[in-house]
């Protein structure tokens, strides 16, 4: 539970690096900041890929790929964030466990076929 507030802290930290907000300036009046988590399943849960993708103004700038085990900058804007997050060992350990904690755990919850199989066994 100690990590429960971690995503909010990281969101606030990431907002501090948005262009236009450095030097005490306010961010633009209208901007879009999104984080999308994706789970890609191949052969059930035999092979699972977790992607944690970060967008600014509809453009992806950095992502965590569980197959690579690190954050990768997609654009120049993402390089400082990727370097910072890759250097934080506790955060990297948290990201690497998302495959089990987020993807595999929710596979049965959101997979209709898996739910049907469980009903037949009972």
């Amino acid at each position: 539970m100690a990590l429960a507030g971690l995503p909010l802290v990281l969101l606030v930290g990431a907002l501090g690096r948005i262009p236009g907000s450095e030097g005490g300036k306010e961010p633009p009046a209208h901007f879009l900041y999104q984080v999308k988590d994706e789970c890609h399943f191949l052969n059930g849960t035999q092979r699972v890929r977790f992607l944690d993708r970060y967008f600014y103004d509809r453009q992806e700038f950095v992502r965590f790929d569980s197959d690579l085990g690190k954050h990768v900058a997609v654009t120049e804007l993402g390089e400082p964030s990727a370097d910072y997050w890759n250097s934080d060992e506790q955060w990297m350990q948290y990201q690497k466990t998302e495959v089990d904690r987020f993807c595999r755990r929710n596979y049965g919850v959101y997979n209709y076929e898996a739910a049907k199989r469980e009903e037949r066994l009972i």
Side-chain angles (χ1 to χ4, degrees):
M1 283 301 176
L3 296 176
L6 187 59
L8 179 61
V9 171
L10 290 173
L11 173 64
V12 172
L15 287 175
R17 290 189 291 276
I18 291 176
S21 63
E22 56 271 338
K25 297 179 195 172
E26 291 295 318
H30 300 285
F31 67 92
L32 178 68
Y33 181 81
Q34 291 181 318
V35 179
K36 295 184 180 183
D37 294 333
E38 299 176 8
C39 297
H40 298 261
F41 298 95
L42 183 65
N43 193 17
T45 58
Q46 294 295 318
R47 186 165 184 283
V48 181
R49 181 181 185 196
F50 173 72
L51 293 175
D52 190 19
R53 304 169 65 198
Y54 296 83
F55 296 85
Y56 176 73
D57 276 349
R58 296 178 292 176
Q59 182 179 11
E60 183 179 12
F61 66 95
V62 68
R63 77 171 61 147
F64 174 81
D65 188 343
S66 65
D67 284 351
L68 299 175
K70 65 178 184 175
H71 290 86
V72 178
V74 178
T75 64
E76 276 188 50
L77 177 63
E79 289 177 12
S81 297
D83 293 340
Y84 175 76
W85 289 332
N86 286 333
S87 67
D88 186 349
E89 291 180 26
Q90 185 177 6
W91 174 245
M92 290 303 294
Q93 187 64 31
Y94 178 78
Q95 287 288 81
K96 290 175 183 177
T97 60
E98 290 292 275
V99 171
D100 292 322
R101 190 193 69 80
F102 182 71
C103 295
R104 286 194 174 104
R105 178 175 169 259
N106 290 322
Y107 179 77
V109 174
Y110 295 107
N111 186 349
Y112 176 72
E113 290 298 320
K116 276 179 58 175
R117 275 184 266 145
E118 288 179 16
E119 288 176 9
R120 281 186 269 158
L121 294 174
I122 296 177

